C-alpha cells in the first residue's frame, strides 16, 4: 500500500538567523544566511505544490528560531492533535502559536500531563499497527504508558537512542513504506535494533555518510521521495526499490540539526 500526502503545515522562516543556544550536536551558533534559508524553504514549498500537496503556512515568530521545524510540534491522528511539550525551554514558546493555528483550523487538541515531554513526529512515528517512540534525548519511557492508553489498538514500541546526534527520529530512521525502513546502525541500542529487525521485513542500514548527509530526513509521497541534496548512494537504493527522488538543498536548516522532514508537519494523507 502506498500512502500519498494530501496536506502539510509548514512555518515560513522569517527570522531564521543565528542561534544563541545549542541543544543538539548538529547545531552551529553562527553562519546561518536568513535569505538563503528562506529561498531554500520556498523551493521545498514549490516541490510539494508540484506534487499536488496542499501547503498550509504559519509565520515564524521572532525570537523562536526553531519554530520553523513544524514536524516537532505535534502528533496528528485524524482530526486530533497531540501537542508537544518541548524538553528545552528554548523551544517551549513555539507551542502556543501552533496550538492556536490547529484550533483555528478545526483540530481537536489533546495534551500530555505537564511532567511528560515529547516532541511530536520528532520522537514518534505511526507505522502499520505500531507507534514507534524514540526514547532518550527528547522523550522518556513514562510517555509510552500514556500513549498506550491513548491508542489502545496500537502497539507502542520503544526504541532506545544510543547517541545525542539521534535526538530526533528523522536523523537515523526513515520509514519508506509499510515493508521498508531505513535506519542508521549507530542510532539505537542493540536490543532496539533486534526488535526492529523482527518487526520490519526490509530493514535497510544507512551508511555513516548517508546518515551524515541527512538521508533519513526525507519525505515520501506515493513513489516519490523528497530528499536532501547529494547522497547519491541513498538515491540508488531508493531507485532499486522503484522510488523516484527529488533532491532539495536545505543546508541552512541543517545548521540547526533540521531538514526536509523537520520542516513538514503532515496534516492529512490520502490512501
Ligand atoms: N534545533 C532543533 C532542535 O534541536 C532542530 C529540530 C529539528 N527537527 C527534527 N525533527 N529533527 O530541537
Amino acid at each position: 500500500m502506498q500512502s500519498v500526502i494530501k496536506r502539510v503545515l509548514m512555518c515560513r522562516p522569517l527570522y531564521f538567523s543565528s542561534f544563541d543556544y545549542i541543544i543538539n550536536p548538529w547545531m552551529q551558533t553562527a553562519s546561518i544566511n536568513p535569505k538563503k534559508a528562506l529561498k531554500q524553504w520556498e523551493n521545498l514549498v514549490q516541490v510539494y505544490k508540484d506534487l499536488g500537496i496542499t501547503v498550509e503556512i504559519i509565520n515564524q515568530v521572532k525570537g523562536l528560531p526553531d519554530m520553523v521545524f513544524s514536524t516537532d510540534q505535534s502528533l496528528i491522528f485524524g482530526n486530533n492533535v497531540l501537542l508537544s511539550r518541548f524538553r528545552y525551554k528554548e523551544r517551549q514558546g513555539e507551542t502556543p502559536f501552533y496550538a492556536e493555528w490547529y484550533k483555528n483550523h478545526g483540530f481537536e487538541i489533546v495534551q500530555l500531563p505537564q511532567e511528560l515531554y515529547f516532541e511530536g513526529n520528532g520522537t514518534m512515528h505511526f507505522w502499520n499497527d505500531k507507534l514507534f517512540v524514540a526514547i532518550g534525548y527528547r522523550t522518556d519511557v513514562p510517555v509510552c504508558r500514556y500513549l498506550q492508553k491513548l491508542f489502545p489498538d496500537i502497539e507502542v514500541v520503544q526504541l532506545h537512542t544510543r547517541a545525542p546526534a539521534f535526538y530526533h527520529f528523522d536523523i537515523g530512521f526513515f520509514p519508506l513504506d509499510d515493508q521498508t525502513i531505513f535506519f542508521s546502525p549507530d542510532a539505537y541500542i542493540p536490543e532496539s535494533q533486534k526488535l526492529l529487525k523482527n518487526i520490519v521485513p526490509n530493514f535497510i542500514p544507512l551508511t555513516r555518510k548517508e546518515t551524515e548527509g541527512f538521508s533519513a530526513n526525507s519525505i515520501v509521497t506515493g513513489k516519490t521521495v523528497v530528499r536532501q541534496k547529494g547522497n547519491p548512494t541513498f538515491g540508488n537504493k531508493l531507485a532499486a526499490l522503484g522510488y523516484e527522488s527529488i533532491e532539495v538543498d536545505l543546508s541552512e536548516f541543517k545548521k540547526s540539526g533540521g531538514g526536509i522532514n523537520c520542516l513538514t508537519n503532515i496534516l492529512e494523507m490520502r490512501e
Side-chain angles (χ1 to χ4, degrees), residues 10 36 39-51 213-215 217-219 224-231 245-254 258-264:
M10 295 177 69
K36 194 170 167 195
K39 269 217 161 110
Q40 291 179 340
W41 179 87
E42 281 168 346
N43 177 49
L44 180 62
V45 171
Q46 195 53 50
V47 165
Y48 287 153
K49 287 186 174 167
D50 292 346
L51 285 166
F214 271 26
S215 297
N217 215 295
S218 301
I219 280 281
T224 303
V225 175
V226 184
R227 63 176 178 85
Q228 189 72 38
K229 194 173 163 202
N231 302 308
S245 292
I246 299 177
E247 294 182 52
V248 295
D249 185 5
L250 289 166
S251 56
E252 294 313 291
F253 296 93
K254 196 173 179 203
I260 298 163
N261 185 68
C262 316
L263 295 166
T264 313

Coordinates of all heavy atoms in Angstrom, one line a residue, residues 10 36 39-51 213-215 217-219 224-231 245-254 258-264:
M10 N 3.6 24.1 7.2 CA 5.0 24.5 7.2 C 5.1 25.9 7.8 O 4.1 26.7 7.8 CB 5.6 24.5 5.8 CG 5.6 23.1 5.2 SD 6.2 23.1 3.5 CE 7.9 23.5 3.7
K36 N 19.1 33.0 2.3 CA 19.3 31.7 1.6 C 18.3 30.7 2.2 O 17.7 29.9 1.5 CB 20.7 31.3 1.9 CG 21.2 30.1 1.0 CD 22.7 29.9 1.1 CE 23.1 28.6 0.5 NZ 24.4 28.2 0.9
K39 N 14.9 31.2 0.8 CA 14.8 30.6 -0.6 C 14.7 29.1 -0.6 O 14.0 28.5 -1.4 CB 16.1 31.1 -1.3 CG 16.0 32.4 -2.0 CD 16.8 32.3 -3.4 CE 16.4 33.4 -4.3 NZ 17.4 34.4 -4.5
Q40 N 15.6 28.5 0.2 CA 15.6 27.0 0.3 C 14.2 26.5 0.7 O 13.7 25.5 0.2 CB 16.6 26.5 1.2 CG 18.0 26.8 0.7 CD 19.1 26.3 1.7 OE1 18.9 26.1 2.9 NE2 20.3 26.1 1.2
W41 N 13.6 27.2 1.7 CA 12.3 26.8 2.2 C 11.2 27.0 1.1 O 10.4 26.1 0.9 CB 12.0 27.6 3.4 CG 10.7 27.3 4.1 CD1 10.4 26.3 5.0 CD2 9.4 28.0 3.8 NE1 9.1 26.4 5.4 CE2 8.5 27.4 4.7 CE3 9.1 29.1 3.0 CZ2 7.1 27.8 4.7 CZ3 7.7 29.5 3.0 CH2 6.8 28.8 3.8
E42 N 11.3 28.1 0.4 CA 10.3 28.4 -0.6 C 10.4 27.3 -1.7 O 9.4 26.9 -2.3 CB 10.5 29.8 -1.2 CG 9.9 30.8 -0.3 CD 10.4 32.3 -0.7 OE1 11.3 32.4 -1.5 OE2 9.7 33.2 -0.1
N43 N 11.6 26.9 -2.0 CA 11.8 25.8 -3.0 C 11.1 24.5 -2.6 O 10.5 23.9 -3.4 CB 13.3 25.6 -3.3 CG 13.5 24.5 -4.3 OD1 12.9 24.5 -5.3 ND2 14.4 23.6 -3.9
L44 N 11.3 24.2 -1.3 CA 10.6 23.0 -0.8 C 9.1 23.1 -0.9 O 8.4 22.2 -1.3 CB 11.0 22.7 0.7 CG 10.4 21.5 1.3 CD1 10.9 20.2 0.6 CD2 10.9 21.4 2.8
V45 N 8.6 24.3 -0.6 CA 7.1 24.5 -0.7 C 6.7 24.3 -2.2 O 5.7 23.6 -2.4 CB 6.7 26.0 -0.3 CG1 5.3 26.3 -0.6 CG2 7.0 26.2 1.2
Q46 N 7.5 24.8 -3.1 CA 7.1 24.6 -4.5 C 7.2 23.1 -4.9 O 6.3 22.7 -5.7 CB 8.1 25.5 -5.4 CG 7.6 25.7 -6.8 CD 6.2 26.2 -6.9 OE1 5.9 27.2 -6.3 NE2 5.3 25.6 -7.7
V47 N 8.2 22.4 -4.4 CA 8.3 21.0 -4.7 C 7.0 20.3 -4.3 O 6.4 19.5 -5.0 CB 9.5 20.4 -4.1 CG1 9.5 18.8 -4.1 CG2 10.8 20.8 -4.8
Y48 N 6.5 20.6 -3.1 CA 5.3 20.0 -2.6 C 4.1 20.3 -3.4 O 3.3 19.5 -3.7 CB 5.1 20.4 -1.1 CG 6.0 19.7 -0.1 CD1 6.3 20.3 1.1 CD2 6.6 18.5 -0.4 CE1 7.2 19.8 2.0 CE2 7.5 17.9 0.5 CZ 7.7 18.5 1.7 OH 8.6 17.9 2.6
K49 N 4.0 21.6 -3.8 CA 2.9 22.1 -4.6 C 2.8 21.3 -5.9 O 1.8 20.9 -6.4 CB 2.9 23.6 -4.8 CG 2.5 24.3 -3.5 CD 2.4 25.8 -3.7 CE 1.9 26.5 -2.5 NZ 2.1 28.0 -2.6
D50 N 4.0 21.2 -6.5 CA 4.1 20.5 -7.8 C 3.7 19.0 -7.7 O 3.3 18.4 -8.6 CB 5.5 20.6 -8.4 CG 5.9 22.0 -8.8 OD1 5.0 22.8 -8.9 OD2 7.1 22.3 -9.0
L51 N 3.8 18.5 -6.5 CA 3.4 17.1 -6.2 C 2.0 17.0 -5.9 O 1.5 15.9 -5.5 CB 4.3 16.5 -5.1 CG 5.7 16.1 -5.4 CD1 6.5 15.9 -4.2 CD2 5.8 14.9 -6.3
G213 N 24.6 12.9 5.8 CA 24.0 13.7 4.7 C 22.6 13.9 4.9 O 21.9 14.4 4.1
F214 N 22.0 13.5 6.1 CA 20.6 13.6 6.4 C 19.7 12.9 5.5 O 18.6 13.4 5.1 CB 20.2 15.1 6.6 CG 20.4 15.7 7.9 CD1 21.4 15.1 8.8 CD2 19.7 16.7 8.4 CE1 21.6 15.6 10.1 CE2 19.9 17.3 9.7 CZ 20.8 16.7 10.5
S215 N 20.1 11.7 5.0 CA 19.3 10.9 4.1 C 18.0 10.6 4.8 O 16.9 10.6 4.1 CB 20.0 9.6 3.7 OG 21.2 9.9 3.0
N217 N 16.2 12.2 6.7 CA 15.3 13.4 6.9 C 14.6 13.7 5.6 O 14.6 14.8 5.1 CB 16.2 14.6 7.3 CG 15.4 15.4 8.3 OD1 14.4 16.0 7.9 ND2 15.9 15.5 9.5
S218 N 13.9 12.6 5.1 CA 13.2 12.7 3.8 C 11.7 12.6 4.0 O 11.3 12.2 5.1 CB 13.7 11.5 2.9 OG 15.1 11.6 2.7
I219 N 11.0 12.9 2.9 CA 9.6 12.8 2.9 C 9.2 11.9 1.8 O 9.7 12.1 0.6 CB 8.9 14.2 2.8 CG1 8.9 14.9 4.1 CG2 7.5 14.1 2.2 CD1 7.8 14.5 5.1
T224 N 7.4 8.8 -4.7 CA 8.5 9.8 -4.8 C 9.0 10.1 -3.4 O 8.3 10.2 -2.5 CB 7.8 11.1 -5.4 OG1 7.2 10.8 -6.6 CG2 8.8 12.3 -5.5
V225 N 10.3 10.3 -3.4 CA 11.0 10.7 -2.1 C 11.6 12.0 -2.3 O 12.4 12.2 -3.2 CB 12.1 9.6 -1.7 CG1 12.8 10.1 -0.4 CG2 11.4 8.3 -1.4
V226 N 11.2 13.0 -1.5 CA 11.9 14.3 -1.5 C 13.0 14.2 -0.5 O 12.8 13.9 0.7 CB 10.9 15.4 -1.1 CG1 11.5 16.8 -1.2 CG2 9.6 15.3 -1.9
R227 N 14.2 14.4 -0.9 CA 15.3 14.1 0.0 C 16.4 15.2 -0.2 O 16.5 15.9 -1.2 CB 15.9 12.7 -0.3 CG 16.5 12.5 -1.7 CD 17.1 11.2 -1.8 NE 17.6 10.9 -3.2 CZ 18.8 11.3 -3.6 NH1 19.7 11.9 -2.7 NH2 19.3 11.1 -4.8
Q228 N 17.3 15.2 0.9 CA 18.4 16.2 1.0 C 19.3 16.0 -0.2 O 19.7 14.9 -0.6 CB 19.1 15.9 2.3 CG 20.1 16.9 2.7 CD 19.5 18.2 3.1 OE1 18.5 18.2 3.8 NE2 20.2 19.3 2.8
K229 N 19.7 17.1 -0.8 CA 20.6 17.1 -2.0 C 21.9 16.3 -1.7 O 22.4 16.4 -0.6 CB 20.9 18.6 -2.3 CG 21.6 18.7 -3.6 CD 21.7 20.2 -3.9 CE 22.7 20.4 -5.1 NZ 23.3 21.7 -5.1
G230 N 22.4 15.6 -2.7 CA 23.6 14.8 -2.6 C 23.2 13.4 -2.3 O 22.2 12.9 -2.8
N231 N 24.0 12.7 -1.5 CA 23.6 11.3 -1.0 C 23.3 10.4 -2.2 O 22.2 9.8 -2.2 CB 22.4 11.4 -0.1 CG 22.7 12.2 1.2 OD1 23.7 12.0 1.8 ND2 21.9 13.2 1.5
S245 N 13.5 10.1 -6.9 CA 14.0 11.1 -5.9 C 13.8 12.5 -6.5 O 14.1 12.8 -7.6 CB 15.5 10.9 -5.6 OG 15.7 9.8 -5.0
I246 N 13.5 13.4 -5.6 CA 13.6 14.8 -5.9 C 14.6 15.4 -4.8 O 14.3 15.2 -3.6 CB 12.2 15.6 -5.8 CG1 11.3 15.0 -6.8 CG2 12.4 17.1 -6.0 CD1 9.9 15.6 -6.8
E247 N 15.7 16.0 -5.3 CA 16.7 16.5 -4.3 C 16.5 17.9 -4.0 O 16.2 18.7 -4.9 CB 18.1 16.3 -4.9 CG 18.5 14.9 -5.1 CD 19.9 14.7 -5.6 OE1 20.8 15.3 -5.0 OE2 20.1 14.0 -6.6
V248 N 16.5 18.3 -2.8 CA 16.4 19.7 -2.4 C 17.5 20.1 -1.4 O 17.9 19.2 -0.6 CB 15.0 20.1 -1.8 CG1 13.9 20.0 -2.8 CG2 14.7 19.3 -0.5
D249 N 18.0 21.3 -1.5 CA 19.1 21.7 -0.7 C 18.5 22.5 0.5 O 17.9 23.5 0.3 CB 20.0 22.6 -1.5 CG 21.2 23.0 -0.7 OD1 21.4 22.5 0.4 OD2 22.0 23.8 -1.3
L250 N 18.8 22.0 1.7 CA 18.3 22.7 2.9 C 19.5 22.9 3.8 O 19.4 22.7 5.1 CB 17.2 21.9 3.6 CG 15.9 22.0 2.7 CD1 14.9 20.9 3.2 CD2 15.2 23.3 2.8
S251 N 20.6 23.3 3.2 CA 21.9 23.4 4.0 C 21.8 24.3 5.2 O 22.4 24.0 6.3 CB 23.0 23.8 3.1 OG 22.6 25.0 2.5
E252 N 21.0 25.4 5.1 CA 20.9 26.4 6.2 C 20.2 25.8 7.4 O 20.6 26.0 8.5 CB 20.2 27.6 5.7 CG 21.0 28.4 4.7 CD 22.4 28.6 5.0 OE1 22.7 29.4 6.0 OE2 23.3 28.0 4.3
F253 N 19.2 24.9 7.1 CA 18.5 24.3 8.2 C 19.3 23.2 8.9 O 19.0 22.9 10.1 CB 17.1 23.8 7.7 CG 16.3 25.0 7.2 CD1 16.3 25.3 5.9 CD2 15.5 25.7 8.1 CE1 15.6 26.4 5.4 CE2 14.8 26.8 7.6 CZ 14.8 27.1 6.3
K254 N 20.2 22.6 8.2 CA 21.0 21.6 8.8 C 21.9 22.1 9.9 O 22.2 21.5 10.8 CB 21.9 20.9 7.7 CG 22.4 19.6 8.2 CD 23.2 18.9 7.1 CE 23.7 17.6 7.7 NZ 24.8 17.1 7.0
G258 N 18.3 20.3 11.4 CA 17.0 20.1 10.7 C 17.1 19.9 9.2 O 18.1 20.2 8.6
G259 N 16.0 19.3 8.7 CA 15.9 19.1 7.2 C 14.5 19.0 6.7 O 13.6 19.5 7.4
I260 N 14.3 18.3 5.6 CA 13.0 18.2 5.0 C 11.9 17.8 5.9 O 10.9 18.4 6.0 CB 13.1 17.3 3.7 CG1 14.2 17.9 2.7 CG2 11.8 17.1 3.1 CD1 14.6 16.9 1.7
N261 N 12.1 16.6 6.5 CA 11.1 16.1 7.3 C 10.7 17.0 8.5 O 9.6 17.2 8.9 CB 11.5 14.7 7.9 CG 10.3 14.0 8.6 OD1 9.3 13.7 8.1 ND2 10.5 13.9 9.9
C262 N 11.8 17.6 9.1 CA 11.6 18.5 10.2 C 10.7 19.7 9.9 O 10.0 20.2 10.7 CB 12.9 19.0 10.8 SG 14.2 17.9 10.9
L263 N 10.8 20.1 8.6 CA 10.1 21.3 8.2 C 8.6 21.0 7.8 O 7.9 21.9 7.3 CB 10.8 22.0 7.0 CG 12.2 22.5 7.3 CD1 12.9 22.8 6.0 CD2 12.1 23.8 8.2
T264 N 8.2 19.7 7.9 CA 7.0 19.3 7.3 C 6.1 18.6 8.3 O 6.4 17.4 8.6 CB 7.3 18.3 6.1 OG1 8.3 18.9 5.3 CG2 6.1 18.1 5.2

